[in-house]
């Protein structure tokens, strides 16, 4: 008894005969997967150029202005903001002479990610029109809203997404293992610009470890890869994931050390800002005054708390009521840092109920609300103070109504962490359901042949461009592509888990309810949603015996000679 095997939706055969004329060959080339790749690249590039032209050199707030001053050498490097972004910006300015070069990098990383998603979709059999969802990601209101501004949070998100996608490519095209190098660089940069990105990186590292293990096993013993013991697989994946995490952590440490050796990074003890919030708002006045902290520090905290409570603020005390640091200037270190840390250890951690109550309250404010969804050009005070060109206000006439008046006013949940958390939970639930239905294997058939569907399509393009019709290889080509049919559930699971970890990683540290803190979850889940929709619209169906097959592929094979078609099934 024979069962049809899974087929890819991309055509393996050229419809033109070998002696086709120039016009027929041109049609073949234009209909090839490579031509569609180029079209996707053109669409992505056109949007990127338009976006950069409208928002150049980028929007700036007080944090970004300080990083700009460090990048231009007007202020010394400090660790209040991780110095890697200022160092990269400095290098870009030295290279191009343009402060807006960081915006170009930011948009370029997102554009590369959007293009790769489009290419991945159509080269793995998704209808071509659906691959346009890759570039379309760049035009969603929640993405537009944050790409205008040079937040370190935006830099984190685009670097994380591109780094993850490069690892994804190595799963579908194992010969592209060299992409692990830029992927690790991007993940190191993401953690470097915002240290709490480590929460988001953990699921990505687990996915990377799983990809390495799958590649290694398929390369050594492809016929036995599906029969390995589950417990041993988990252990090996954990070890490889830990190695990936160590590489990323080591890269961050090495990068920080190199920057410090080059420019001398001043220590500011920025973590004291978190200690200050916890002590001020979770320690009662009686316990505060009874502690052995310096009286000046206790009185300062007490008076500042009264000011914050009058303003209705229960977080970000450094900016809202404490008077900033020792000099009163922004980003200056807090006095009595060691004493404040001891106070935190003695009065906060030892009273976990009051601490959890406070952190739950501020996390709830972050989780169910948002602000600064769009940074307007007229908010250019910080930019002007440091001599940064605020750019044109023309872009606001186009995009502010789209982001604020349409998206934010009509669908406010799109800018709230709770919504993206719900999306992540739904996607993880669907992934779990798919895992149960497939017996725990979400990879699809990947064993035995290391040339992926994408690689096969590339070779098809080269053959089609020469007018060659590989009719004599119908059976082997179709069977080879059938064996490599994949799903995107591992990638969807990774992105959703990363988003969840990042959101809940803010529980002990969240300083405000800015939407930029939710940009990585929003971007990651947008990409995961595109992959999920692409799978839903994929032309694969269940055939006899429960084996998946492609309706498009089966129709195409049915039109081939009987001898060739019959060889596409296994006995």
């Amino acid at each position: 008894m024979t069962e049809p095997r899974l087929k890819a939706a991309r055509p393996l055969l050229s419809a033109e005969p070998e002696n086709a004329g120039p016009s027929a060959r041109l049609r073949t080339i234009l209909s090839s997967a490579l031509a569609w790749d180029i079209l996707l690249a053109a669409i992505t590039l056109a949007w990127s150029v338009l976006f950069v032209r409208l928002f150049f050199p980028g929007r700036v707030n007080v944090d970004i202005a300080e990083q700009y001053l460090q990048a231009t050498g007007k202020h010394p490097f400090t660790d209040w903001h991780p110095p890697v972004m200022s160092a990269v910006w400095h290098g870009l300015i030295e290279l191009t002479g343009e402060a807006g070069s960081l915006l170009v990098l930011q948009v370029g990383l997102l554009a590369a990610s959007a293009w790769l998603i489009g290419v991945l979709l159509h080269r793995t059999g998704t209808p071509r029109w659906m691959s346009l969802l890759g570039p379309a990601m760049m035009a969603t209101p929640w993405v537009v809203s944050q790409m205008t501004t040079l937040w370190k949070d935006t830099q984190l998100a685009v670097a994380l997404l591109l780094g993850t996608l490069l690892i994804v490519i190595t799963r579908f095209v194992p010969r592209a293992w060299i992409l692990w190098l830029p992927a690790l660089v991007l993940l190191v940069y993401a953690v470097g610009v915002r240290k709490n990105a480590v929460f988001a990186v953990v699921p990505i590292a687990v996915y990377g470890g799983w990809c390495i293990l799958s590649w290694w096993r398929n390369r050594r013993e492809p016929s036995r890869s599906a029969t390995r013991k589950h417990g041993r697989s988990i252990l090996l994946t954990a070890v490889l994931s830990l190695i990936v995490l160590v590489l990323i952590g080591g890269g961050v440490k090495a990068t920080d050390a190199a920057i410090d050796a080059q420019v001398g990074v001043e220590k500011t003890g920025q973590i004291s800002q978190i200690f200050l919030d916890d002590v001020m708002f979770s320690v009662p006045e009686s316990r505060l005054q009874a502690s052995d902290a310096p009286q000046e520090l206790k009185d300062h905290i007490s008076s500042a708390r009264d000011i914050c409570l009058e303003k209705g603020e229960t977080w970000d005390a450094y900016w809202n009521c404490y008077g900033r640091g020792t000099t009163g200037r922004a980003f200056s270190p807090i006095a009595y840092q060691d004493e404040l840390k001891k106070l935190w250890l003695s009065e906060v951690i030892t009273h976990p109920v009051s601490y959890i109550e406070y952190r739950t309250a501020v996390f709830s404010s972050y989780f169910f609300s948002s602000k600064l969804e769009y940074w307007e050009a007229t908010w250019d005070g910080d930019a002007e103070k440091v001599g940064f060109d605020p750019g044109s206000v023309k872009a606001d006439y186009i995009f502010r109504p789209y982001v604020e008046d349409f998206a934010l006013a009509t669908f406010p949940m799109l800018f709230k962490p709770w919504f993206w958390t719900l999306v992540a939970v739904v996607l993880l639930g669907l992934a779990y359901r798919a895992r149960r239905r497939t017996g725990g294997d979400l990879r699809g058939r990947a064993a035995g042949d290391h040339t992926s569907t994408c690689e096969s399509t590339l070779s098809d393009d080269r053959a089609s461009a020469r007018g060659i019709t590989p009719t004599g290889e119908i059976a082997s080509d179709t069977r080879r592509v059938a064996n490599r049919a994949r799903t995107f559930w591992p990638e969807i699971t990774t992105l959703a888990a990363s988003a969840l970890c990042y959101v809940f990683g803010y529980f002990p540290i969240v300083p405000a309810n800015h939407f930029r803190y939710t940009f990585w979850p929003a971007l990651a889940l947008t990409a995961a949603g595109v992959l999920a929709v692409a799978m839903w619209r994929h032309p694969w169906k269940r055939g006899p015996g429960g084996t998946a097959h492609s309706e498009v592929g089966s129709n195409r094979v049915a039109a081939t000679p009987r001898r060739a078609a019959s060889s596409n099934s296994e006995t």
Side-chain angles (χ1 to χ4, degrees):
M1 180 177 179
T2 61
E3 293 183 354
R5 299 297 298 275
L6 186 63
K7 307 182 191 307
R10 291 283 73 81
L12 290 174
L13 305 180
S14 169
E16 305 295 337
E18 293 187 15
N19 58 352
S23 61
R25 292 184 180 181
L26 179 61
R27 286 196 302 271
T28 301
I29 293 173
L30 293 178
S31 64
S32 67
L34 180 59
W36 191 256
D37 292 345
I38 295 172
L39 176 62
L40 291 175
I43 294 172
T44 305
L45 180 62
W47 174 263
S48 302
V49 170
L50 173 65
F51 191 90
V52 170
R53 179 178 176 82
L54 287 172
F55 287 99
F56 193 86
R59 306 285 167 84
V60 167
N61 80 329
V62 62
D63 299 278
I64 303 167
E66 173 66 18
Q67 291 172 293
Y68 172 70
L69 290 174
Q70 294 177 20
T72 54
K74 297 177 182 178
H75 278 188
F77 276 69
T78 72
D79 65 353
W80 186 278
H81 299 290
V84 64
M85 177 173 158
S86 297
V88 169
W89 202 352
H90 172 77
L92 291 173
I93 293 173
E94 289 289 314
L95 183 65
T96 65
E98 294 287 347
S101 53
L102 188 65
L103 178 67
V104 176
L105 173 66
Q106 183 169 290
V107 175
L109 293 177
L110 178 64
S113 300
W115 178 74
L116 281 177
I117 290 175
V119 170
L120 182 65
L121 292 184
H122 88 87
R123 289 222 175 225
T124 50
T126 302
R128 285 185 172 181
W129 67 269
M130 291 212 69
S131 65
L132 295 172
L133 291 176
M137 286 174 47
M138 302 178 68
T140 55
W142 53 90
V143 172
V144 169
S145 72
Q146 299 305 293
M147 290 301 297
T148 66
T149 310
L150 303 175
W151 307 111
K152 59 185 177 184
D153 310 83
T154 307
Q155 295 273 309
L156 173 156
V158 295
L160 269 186
L161 182 60
L162 183 55
T164 304
L165 288 172
L166 291 178
I167 298 175
V168 171
I169 295 300
T170 65
R171 179 169 92 89
F172 284 85
V173 188
R175 294 177 183 175
W177 60 267
I178 193 68
L179 293 180
W180 265 96
L181 297 180
L184 287 173
V185 170
L186 289 165
L187 296 178
V188 166
Y189 180 65
V191 177
V193 296
R194 194 168 187 93
K195 293 300 190 288
N196 63 308
V198 69
F199 295 114
V201 162
V202 170
I204 298 171
V206 172
Y207 172 79
W210 175 77
C211 288
I212 294 172
L213 179 62
S214 299
W215 171 82
W216 179 69
R217 281 185 167 174
N218 290 335
R219 185 178 179 85
R220 291 194 62 186
E221 297 178 278
S223 61
R224 297 177 57 192
S225 61
T227 63
R228 293 287 187 177
K229 292 183 178 180
H230 185 61
R232 185 180 178 187
S233 296
I234 292 177
L235 179 61
L236 290 175
T237 300
V239 171
L240 292 170
S241 304
L242 183 61
I243 292 173
V244 174
L245 279 174
V246 169
L247 289 174
I248 295 172
V252 172
K253 287 289 187 182
T255 301
D256 289 345
I259 295 172
D260 189 23
Q262 198 71 22
V263 298
V265 179
E266 296 181 3
K267 308 300 180 183
T268 61
Q270 194 268 345
I271 195 174
S272 298
Q273 186 179 355
I274 298 173
F275 296 154
L276 179 62
D277 280 356
D278 290 341
V279 170
M280 184 177 295
F281 299 114
S282 73
V283 179
E285 179 68 15
S286 58
R287 286 207 338 250
L288 175 64
Q289 294 299 333
S291 68
D292 58 356
Q295 191 62 43
E296 182 180 1
L297 174 62
K298 293 188 290 187
D299 291 344
H300 194 172
I301 293 174
S302 181
S303 60
R305 176 168 50 201
D306 293 338
I307 297 173
C308 266
L309 293 178
E310 287 178 5
K311 292 181 176 181
E313 298 287 353
T314 57
W315 54 11
D316 216 9
Y318 177 92
W319 296 98
N320 289 324
C321 58
Y322 196 71
R324 302 175 185 176
T326 53
T327 65
R329 295 177 54 189
F331 312 109
S332 59
I334 295 174
Y336 297 109
Q337 288 189 16
D338 291 337
E339 292 79 3
L340 180 61
K341 181 179 179 180
K342 291 179 181 178
L343 186 59
W344 186 84
L345 291 172
S346 65
E347 298 297 332
V348 175
I349 295 302
T350 56
H351 296 79
V353 174
S354 57
Y355 170 73
I356 292 174
E357 287 176 348
Y358 167 65
R359 275 296 156 190
T360 301
V362 294
F363 184 79
S364 178
S365 296
Y366 156 74
F367 195 69
F368 295 108
S369 65
S370 67
K371 64 180 181 180
L372 294 186
E373 295 87 358
Y374 183 83
W375 193 272
E376 299 183 17
T378 54
W379 301 346
D380 57 0
D382 294 314
E384 290 182 349
K385 287 179 184 177
V386 299
F388 190 91
D389 183 5
S392 173
V393 299
K394 294 180 180 179
D396 283 355
Y397 293 114
I398 301 173
F399 289 102
R400 193 199 63 78
Y402 171 59
V403 173
E404 292 189 339
D405 299 337
F406 168 63
L408 182 59
T410 310
F411 308 103
M413 74 287 294
L414 294 173
F415 299 89
K416 305 294 188 290
W418 70 261
F419 172 78
W420 295 106
T421 300
L422 179 61
V423 173
V425 170
V426 169
L427 289 176
L428 287 175
L430 292 174
Y432 177 75
R433 180 170 175 264
R435 180 181 177 85
R436 286 178 60 89
R437 295 179 66 178
T438 57
D441 187 4
L442 296 182
R443 296 172 300 171
R445 289 280 295 154
D449 193 340
H450 307 296
T451 307
S452 75
T453 305
C454 300
E455 290 176 303
S456 177
T457 311
L458 285 171
S459 60
D460 266 349
D461 290 339
R462 291 191 289 268
S464 297
R466 295 192 301 268
I468 299 173
T469 306
T471 307
E473 300 178 356
I474 295 174
S476 59
D477 281 351
T478 305
R479 183 162 53 249
R480 189 167 65 247
V481 174
N483 286 342
R484 290 185 302 275
R486 313 287 182 99
T487 74
F488 294 126
W489 287 121
E491 290 70 34
I492 294 169
T493 300
T494 300
L495 292 169
S498 177
L500 278 181
C501 290
Y502 190 72
V503 168
F504 288 103
Y506 269 111
F507 183 87
I509 61 172
V510 63
N513 58 344
H514 300 171
F515 177 61
R516 61 189 174 111
Y517 301 143
T518 313
F519 184 53
W520 165 242
L523 184 62
L525 291 166
T526 301
V530 168
L531 296 178
V533 171
M535 288 179 59
W536 175 61
R537 291 293 301 169
H538 201 291
W540 297 344
K541 291 187 176 182
R542 286 283 167 186
T547 304
H549 74 285
S550 169
E551 181 180 14
V552 176
S554 60
N555 289 341
R556 185 176 294 113
V557 173
T560 61
R562 180 180 183 87
R563 179 180 177 184
S566 64
S567 65
N568 288 321
S569 300
E570 286 186 351
T571 302

